[in-house]
Amino acid sequence: YRLYTIHSIPTLHVLDLQKIKQSERDKAKRLLQSAAGAALELDIKLENNQHQTDDTIDNNNNNETATSKTFVPGGDITMNTTTTTTTTTT
């Protein structure tokens, strides 16, 4: 994932607490121009599309109840929960 990320975000200077070297940038460029790199990029796009489809299906459910757990700095150690009810009419 490191080389893909380096290639995808050219302004990135540090990744995983390690400086990005020019040799890594060159290697990332060569990888993404190769057949293996093209296959990797296609896999990532397909996976991303699948996640978007799953999210769309979840958002289209009527009377959906969602619970979110939010960390509040300085707050109580127990999890704060918020329940939201969404109703969609068509």
Side-chain angles (χ1 to χ4, degrees), residues 25-39:
R25 292 187 190 282
D26 296 340
K27 190 184 291 188
K29 185 177 180 180
R30 284 193 307 274
L31 171 67
L32 272 291
Q33 289 175 346
S34 71

Side-chain angles (χ1 to χ4, degrees), residues 69-80:
K69 298 176 182 172
T70 306
F71 171 76
V72 178
D76 192 8
I77 293 177
T78 60
M79 297 292 250
N80 297 326

Side-chain angles (χ1 to χ4, degrees), residues 18-68:
Q18 294 180 4
K19 279 187 161 185
I20 297 171
K21 300 176 184 175
Q22 185 59 42
S23 61
E24 285 183 294
R25 292 187 190 282
D26 296 340
K27 190 184 291 188
K29 185 177 180 180
R30 284 193 307 274
L31 171 67
L32 272 291
Q33 289 175 346
S34 71
L40 173 66
E41 196 165 21
L42 179 61
D43 286 345
I44 290 169
K45 286 180 182 177
L46 290 173
E47 186 175 321
N48 187 33
N49 287 341
Q50 181 61 43
H51 287 299
Q52 288 176 351
T53 302
D54 292 344
D55 290 344
T56 300
I57 291 169
D58 289 344
N59 289 336
N60 287 335
N61 289 336
N62 289 336
N63 299 324
E64 177 180 297
T65 301
T67 302
S68 63

